[in-house]
Amino acid sequence: MSRQVVSIRPEAPITDAIKVMLAHHISGLPVVDSADNLVGIICESDFLRRSEIGTEHERNRLLSLLLGAERVASEFVKERGRKVEQVMTRQPVTTNEQAPLDEVADVMERRHLNHIPVMRADRIVGIITRSDFLSAVAGPLTGELAPQIRTVA
């Protein structure tokens, strides 16, 4: 678990999120409001379907009708949004400091998550990423001490 969590505000331009993620070599960024409450997370996967690179969804009218106007509108905004709040995933999955490691791994695997913010009450105190598991496994395989990804409060 990383205790040094870089975050961004929902009203920030997505270009700022991209710059922060690239500068810090991170693939996910918690989104916090002015009171530092977690309101979302923006990840590399949120940039897969973007109009700038021609990867937005293309649907015929029938499929659009079947999916429903609300879903089509939501995807349109996400593909063309300019603010973090338009692109982020709202209500991200979180865990707490006492969560057993196997439960965290199970949730990440089952939900296809790369990042899980670690909370203490309503505050972010860390973030667990898939690379934390890679580092933890490397220790026993190489005979070196690996960084711990689970901490005790």
Side-chain angles (χ1 to χ4, degrees):
M1 174 179 85
S2 174
R3 289 193 174 274
Q4 296 178 340
V5 181
V6 179
S7 63
I8 196 161
R9 299 269 187 246
E11 63 276 3
I14 63 166
T15 52
D16 287 358
I18 292 167
K19 288 175 187 175
V20 169
M21 292 167 72
L22 291 172
H24 291 275
H25 306 286
I26 55 177
S27 59
L29 196 56
V31 182
V32 296
D33 64 16
S34 59
D36 284 334
N37 296 310
L38 181 67
V39 295
I41 192 164
I42 189 165
C43 303
E44 289 172 335
S45 61
D46 293 314
F47 297 102
L48 291 176
R49 297 288 186 172
R50 293 294 301 180
S51 61
E52 298 90 346
I53 59 175
T55 58
E56 69 272 27
H57 291 101
E58 292 185 26
R59 294 191 185 85
N60 62 35
R61 279 185 75 126
L62 179 59
L63 185 56
S64 294
L65 287 172
L66 291 173
L67 290 174
E70 187 174 319
R71 180 166 171 191
V72 172
S74 174
E75 288 177 353
F76 182 87
V77 169
K78 190 170 183 100
E79 293 167 354
R80 291 166 177 77
R82 295 288 180 237
K83 299 288 183 185
V84 168
E85 63 194 343
Q86 295 171 314
V87 176
M88 71 183 189
T89 300
R90 297 177 185 278
Q91 300 174 334
V93 174
T94 63
T95 191
N96 63 59
E97 294 170 293
Q98 287 74 38
L101 190 55
D102 63 326
E103 286 181 17
V104 174
D106 183 53
V107 169
M108 291 179 81
E109 181 179 43
R110 194 174 65 254
R111 304 276 305 265
H112 304 286
L113 301 173
N114 292 327
H115 316 85
I116 296 186
V118 179
M119 308 297 288
R120 182 182 301 144
D122 61 347
R123 296 286 178 239
I124 300 174
V125 294
I127 190 163
I128 297 175
T129 67
R130 288 185 178 216
S131 64
D132 291 320
F133 284 88
L134 183 65
S135 298
V137 170
L141 292 177
T142 62
E144 298 175 14
L145 289 176
Q148 296 296 314
I149 62 174
R150 194 169 155 238
T151 60
V152 178

